[in-house]
Amino acid sequence: MNLIIFGAPGAGKGTQSNNIINDFDLKQVSTGDLLRSEIKIKTELGKKIESIINNGELVSDDVVNALIKKIISDPKNFNRLIFDGYPRTILQVYALEKLLKEFNQKISIVFSLNVNKDIVSKRANGRVICNRCLRIFNIYLNPPNSKNHKCEKKYLEKRTDDDRKTILNRYETYVVKTKPILDYYDKKRFLVKIDGNQKIVEIYDKIKGILENIRD
Ligand code: AP5
Ligand code: MG
């Protein structure tokens, strides 16, 4: 099955995708992670998109769709993708539909994590990510410890777009450009809305219960 995890910045898309890949043979595709890795290794694309990401705006649809095409077209990924943070515009929705059709696949379910605006900056403020295993933690809400994280502490980093001003811009961008595409998935009847203000484990229990009953 392929699925989408949808939600505002800090809604928990990456956290829940991390949980899902521990239990299911699926692969997480975070367009944010893919773009950050271009910046980190200083590719031509990375240089072009760095300021866009640090301003909390969206990278162009063409760039993101091209990254996604590489992944969907790879036979290793056939029908086992979790789209985290993609699609984010209606043009990305159409591009994804076209690609999935071309490679004989579909989306089985869309999880939408709904969170209150005031929670978003609190979560972003405390977030640290391990740049080795890519696990996501929060120094206040979900701290890394010897049980949940095996890599050395030196790999834990903050994201450059998690400062207060950028997170508010990211939230605004989400409301204006991304949230409206939920209507599209609602009409297709495979949208599951989940209260993302709950505890990580409570949210995951719901997601897991639903995924265990999907057989394609
Ligand atoms: P991206 O990396 O996707 O960022 P985002 O959408 O803003 O979402 P986040 O990664 O901030 O939040 P998340 O929902 O994954 O939350 P997380 O699990 O980490 O994109 C970054 C940028 O790249 C964009 O702004 C844009 O510029 C560009 N981009 C990416 N995709 C694009 C696209 N398709 N098109 C165009 N441009 C694109 O959790 C957050 C924190 O909260 C963590 O610390 C976590 O431990 C904690 N937490 C999570 N859940 C809970 C919970 N239930 N309770 C308590 N704490 C929790
Ligand atoms: Mg994320």
Side-chain angles (χ1 to χ4, degrees):
M1 76 183 123
N2 293 309
L3 59 113
I4 295 174
I5 306 257
F6 188 92
K13 303 182 291 296
T15 302
Q16 297 302 334
S17 301
N18 282 180
N19 286 339
I20 297 170
I21 58 174
N22 278 338
D23 289 334
F24 296 86
D25 182 28
L26 297 174
K27 181 185 157 85
Q28 176 187 5
V29 184
S30 156
T31 38
D33 285 347
L34 293 173
L35 296 167
R36 279 186 290 280
S37 118
E38 298 283 334
I39 295 173
K40 194 161 201 173
I41 58 174
K42 298 189 168 34
T43 60
E44 277 311 306
L45 172 61
K47 287 177 204 159
K48 278 190 204 144
I49 60 177
E50 188 165 13
S51 63
I52 300 175
I53 290 194
N54 287 334
N55 283 329
E57 285 151 20
L58 292 184
V59 173
S60 80
D61 291 329
D62 288 349
V63 164
V64 183
N65 290 336
L67 291 174
I68 290 290
K69 181 168 187 180
K70 262 195 206 156
I71 291 166
I72 295 183
S73 59
D74 184 339
K76 283 200 301 290
N77 299 328
F78 181 79
N79 217 25
R80 54 184 293 261
L81 295 173
I82 305 171
F83 295 99
D84 158 5
Y86 179 88
R88 277 192 214 226
T89 64
I90 196 68
L91 289 178
Q92 291 181 21
V93 170
Y94 297 147
L96 177 61
E97 291 281 302
K98 198 164 163 248
L99 280 170
L100 289 172
K101 205 167 172 195
E102 188 180 343
F103 293 95
N104 290 318
Q105 296 171 62
K106 62 172 182 147
I107 294 292
S108 294
I109 192 157
V110 179
F111 291 106
S112 171
L113 304 176
N114 305 314
V115 281
N116 301 332
K117 188 179 176 185
D118 52 338
I119 267 187
V120 166
S121 28
K122 198 169 168 200
R123 288 190 181 173
N125 187 28
R127 171 166 41 199
V128 283
I129 297 183
C130 175
N131 65 25
R132 192 153 175 261
C133 68
L134 293 184
R135 284 199 78 83
I136 303 159
F137 300 98
N138 193 293
I139 52 173
Y140 310 115
L141 307 164
N142 176 32
N145 56 46
S146 57
K147 282 198 187 122
N148 63 18
H149 189 227
K150 302 293 170 216
C151 309
E152 288 177 57
K153 274 193 191 144
K154 67 176 182 192
Y155 295 111
L156 292 168
E157 278 181 0
K158 283 189 78 67
R159 267 172 48 177
T160 54
D161 60 347
D162 269 347
D163 64 284
R164 202 177 145 64
K165 185 167 173 268
T166 311
I167 187 76
L168 291 176
N169 284 347
R170 280 161 56 200
Y171 188 82
E172 208 43 49
T173 305
Y174 164 78
V175 171
V176 175
K177 301 211 165 130
T178 303
K179 202 163 177 238
I181 70 174
L182 270 184
D183 284 347
Y184 176 89
Y185 290 112
D186 214 359
K187 283 191 190 115
K188 295 231 161 199
R189 295 171 197 274
F190 48 48
L191 178 67
V192 175
K193 293 180 185 163
I194 296 182
D195 178 2
N197 304 299
Q198 302 170 95
K199 293 198 172 121
I200 293 174
V201 57
E202 290 171 339
I203 298 170
Y204 184 56
D205 278 351
K206 290 204 174 96
I207 292 178
K208 191 175 177 195
I210 293 171
L211 292 182
E212 280 169 344
N213 287 304
I214 297 182
R215 307 230 169 269
D216 53 10

